[in-house]
Amino acid sequence: MAAHIGRRLRKGAATTAVAAAAVAALSASQAPGATVDDQGRQNTGDATSAPDTAADDSATGNSPYYTDLPPLNSPAPSPSAGSGEAGDRSAADAGIPATVLDAYKKAEAALREKKAGCNLPWQLLAAIGKVESGQARGGRVTADGTTVTPILGPQLDGNGFALIRDTDNGAYDGNRMYDQAVGPMQFIPSTWSWAGRDGNGDGRKDPNNIYDAALAAGHYLCRFDWDLSEPGDLRKAILSYNNSTEYLNTVLSWLEYYRKGTHEIPDGTGALPEDRSDARPGVTPSAPGTTPPARPGKPSGSRPSPSPSAPGTGSPSAPPTTPPPPTTPPPPTPPTPTDTVHHLEDAGTGTLTAMAGQTFAERISTRAETEAGKAVAKVRIRFTIVGDTDTTFAGGESVATVTTDASGVAVAPALQAGEKTGAFAVQAAVAGRSVKGVPYKVTVTQRVADALTRVGEKELTCVAGGEFAEPVEVKATYGGEAAGKVAVTAKLVTSADDPAENDKGPYFKDADGKAIRTLTGLRTGPDGQLTLPKLYADGTAGTFLLRLTTAGGTTLEVELTVEPAATPSPDPDPSADPAPSTDPSTEPSETPAA
């Protein structure tokens, strides 16, 4: 017992020092008072306070978490790490189960490719995984990374926790009344519905799978173009995961600890943390069936009351207890603004159409109303992009949450059109409540140019049977600005009045070296310019036309000239008699007559 108390005291002193050092390191280089609103905009305020983030707008719904801090010893195992209880426990605390560690590192690699500017370290995922679930309960996962048993937080019924009514009909958490955080990274269903990812390539997005959950957590932390190498953005990202200053400090402590080094341990051998943020006086325990896992080596639940002795045993019976006085039922909880919303209405949104790659000029506006049509302020409206599209809201996300103003209206962030053309939808809904929403039709059209000009003025000529020395270069513009990624078709036509493909004269070559006179699938570069492949000429001389047409119908005709090949001088016939010489020196001398 004395040894156990000593270990606890040493751990308390050590972890306090680790937490203080981590927070001090962050504060030293962080701009004061940086917080973030629903759209990721930076605000200023009290540097020690957390941003005012609603529970159902966080990854976890601000669910309980483990508050254990790292041990003071080095994360790297020592030769004596396996000797004795203290060594075993320290090694288990410091190590990360193999499959779980692999999932964190693969998520970091994926984010390095998809969102390189985020600078997500896998150690941050490990720190959050430690605090949320004790690394999937010590790595108790199957070979594909799925937890052996589901990991559920308490039901968020407002009784000591946030109030988040069911949003998934129990699909993820099995609860059709209230939401619960799910899986090793503790996502609530409403967040997982848009943040979920397939991290192990099995075609499913499972919050109970550490590969899926780690990748989803990485994308969640990297939204809003946050750079996690910057202390201010790191702080905002962690607080958006769970809005608690203590949570922030605990995650930072584990982050610094893992950055010093860690080691892999076998799956299922990790130590489960002992202390949870909800295991404190005055905090309502979890709902039945979702109680926090028992601490290793400690009994769970309350101590049983002594039973009265059986008659005749000689043992005294327990004294009668005084019945407790009747309690007054608590007053009913007043409805929140969200509770009063009956439906959503469009608030005057115009036509939502933009060209690929452009920002939509029109923004979605939605009004929250009661059944009587009265506006409801301070209600969170979630806008979700639905359909096969790569269009996103500003910041690269497919979901945005905005709070209604005094007139009950929420205006979504601007949409940024991707490259996929066609129609899709944006669904407006009340966050945390199932009421009639509003779908908005959105259309992305192909990139077009309203002008196409040739770059350079040099005449394009060659001789019959040769090749053109100068390539054809053009530039597309739209509204006077360079029009990048615009589709262009190049075709050698018969004449200005006949758009049919010419069957003689200049030509391009395909991959097999065969002559072709129409090219499709060409696109201008980011600067709007396009350089065509080399042109060749057959044996036909004359003037020819190359017609270039852009998406949208803009055309440009370029004149090509093929000159006749030079006619070589004929060689003399060697069999013919030589012409008489006119050189006097070669004339025969006259012979005198006899």
Side-chain angles (χ1 to χ4, degrees):
M1 176 63 71
H4 178 73
I5 293 174
R7 286 194 302 272
R8 295 290 293 172
L9 290 175
R10 288 194 299 274
K11 180 180 179 182
T15 53
T16 301
V18 171
V23 175
L26 177 72
S27 302
S29 57
Q30 178 178 320
T35 61
V36 64
D37 66 8
D38 283 330
Q39 285 73 52
R41 294 186 293 261
Q42 184 169 313
N43 302 320
T44 57
D46 181 3
T48 63
S49 64
D52 182 16
T53 305
D56 57 351
D57 288 334
S58 70
T60 68
N62 298 334
S63 294
Y65 54 90
Y66 288 107
T67 59
D68 297 52
L69 292 171
L72 189 60
N73 62 296
S74 169
S78 63
S80 60
S83 59
E85 179 187 347
D88 292 341
R89 178 76 191 186
S90 177
D93 278 335
I96 300 177
T99 299
V100 178
L101 179 60
D102 183 58
Y104 296 150
K105 291 185 175 181
K106 285 185 175 177
E108 179 198 53
L111 267 297
R112 190 184 306 122
E113 178 181 351
K114 297 291 185 181
K115 295 185 178 181
C118 178
N119 294 306
L120 172 79
W122 67 260
Q123 292 90 342
L124 176 58
L125 297 175
I128 290 176
K130 181 71 172 182
V131 171
E132 292 294 346
S133 67
Q135 310 297 19
R137 289 181 178 162
R140 289 164 179 82
V141 295
T142 60
D144 70 345
T146 303
T147 58
V148 175
T149 56
I151 301 175
L152 295 176
Q155 68 176 18
L156 301 173
D157 56 5
N159 188 19
F161 308 109
L163 174 59
I164 305 179
R165 293 185 175 87
D166 176 56
T167 61
D168 66 330
N169 199 28
Y172 293 118
D173 54 14
N175 190 333
R176 296 187 178 183
M177 293 187 64
Y178 302 98
D179 272 353
Q180 296 174 242
V182 182
M185 302 303 277
Q186 289 289 277
F187 278 96
I188 55 173
S190 58
T191 302
W192 184 261
S193 65
W194 62 266
R197 296 291 194 278
D198 177 15
N200 62 352
D202 63 356
R204 299 175 60 235
K205 299 176 182 178
D206 183 3
N208 296 295
N209 183 280
I210 186 58
Y211 287 99
D212 295 358
L215 184 60
H219 277 278
Y220 186 90
L221 294 165
C222 287
R223 71 199 192 286
F224 303 132
D225 292 328
W226 283 332
D227 180 358
L228 302 186
S229 66
E230 294 291 332
D233 282 358
L234 176 64
R235 177 181 184 275
K236 287 184 287 187
I238 296 172
L239 286 172
S240 76
Y241 208 89
N242 193 313
N243 187 22
S244 161
T245 301
E246 183 183 26
Y247 180 88
L248 169 70
N249 294 340
T250 306
V251 169
L252 288 174
S253 298
W254 282 105
L255 171 60
E256 293 305 312
Y257 183 74
Y258 288 137
R259 275 176 167 165
K260 295 176 183 176
T262 185
H263 61 281
E264 178 184 300
I265 60 175
D267 289 345
T269 63
L272 192 66
E274 298 182 355
D275 299 314
R276 281 171 58 101
S277 60
D278 59 340
R280 297 172 182 166
V283 178
T284 304
S286 306
T290 60
T291 53
R295 301 178 182 179
K298 297 185 180 182
S300 61
S302 59
R303 180 180 299 172
S305 302
S307 303
S309 302
T313 60
S315 300
S317 301
T321 58
T322 304
T327 58
T328 303
T333 304
T336 66
T338 300
D339 294 329
T340 66
V341 178
H342 177 265
H343 61 273
L344 298 180
E345 293 285 349
D346 176 43
T349 305
T351 303
L352 294 165
T353 301
M355 191 167 64
Q358 289 192 333
T359 300
F360 282 74
E362 187 71 18
R363 294 170 66 176
I364 297 173
S365 297
T366 303
R367 175 181 162 97
E369 297 183 355
T370 64
E371 187 173 6
K374 184 179 178 181
V376 185
K378 298 182 179 179
V379 174
R380 292 176 302 280
I381 306 300
R382 179 169 291 129
F383 299 93
T384 305
I385 297 173
V386 181
D388 183 17
T389 180
D390 55 353
T391 295
T392 64
F393 290 110
E397 294 301 323
S398 60
V399 175
T401 304
V402 184
T403 302
T404 57
D405 59 18
S407 62
V409 175
V411 180
L415 285 164
Q416 178 65 45
E419 294 302 321
K420 289 185 178 179
T421 60
F424 59 96
V426 173
Q427 182 71 37
V430 178
R433 181 111 189 268
S434 296
V435 300
K436 181 183 177 183
V438 181
Y440 294 87
K441 182 180 178 180
V442 186
T443 304
V444 176
T445 61
Q446 64 180 340
R447 292 174 180 261
V448 298
D450 57 15
L452 188 64
T453 57
R454 186 181 161 215
V455 178
E457 299 180 354
K458 188 174 181 179
E459 291 185 1
L460 299 169
T461 63
C462 79
V463 296
E467 58 185 54
F468 287 81
E470 297 291 329
V472 177
E473 295 182 86
V474 295
K475 181 173 183 179
T477 55
Y478 184 82
E481 301 292 331
K485 299 183 180 180
V486 173
V488 178
T489 297
K491 184 178 182 181
L492 288 148
V493 298
T494 302
S495 68
D497 299 324
D498 186 356
E501 181 181 281
N502 206 340
D503 60 357
K504 56 182 177 293
Y507 62 90
F508 300 103
K509 287 183 179 181
D510 64 11
D512 297 326
K514 296 180 180 179
I516 55 173
R517 291 184 167 86
T518 300
L519 294 178
T520 59
L522 303 172
R523 287 192 179 273
T524 60
D527 57 357
Q529 294 196 185
L530 169 67
T531 301
L532 270 62
K534 179 175 288 190
L535 276 162
Y536 301 85
D538 61 13
T540 307
T543 301
F544 302 88
L545 285 182
L546 170 65
R547 177 173 292 169
L548 296 106
T549 307
T550 70
T554 302
T555 62
L556 171 68
E557 290 182 346
V558 179
E559 191 174 274
L560 304 173
T561 302
V562 179
E563 298 175 345
T567 303
S569 300
D571 293 330
D573 185 356
S575 62
D577 293 334
S581 174
T582 57
D583 186 348
S585 63
T586 62
E587 289 295 327
S589 1
E590 290 186 4
T591 305

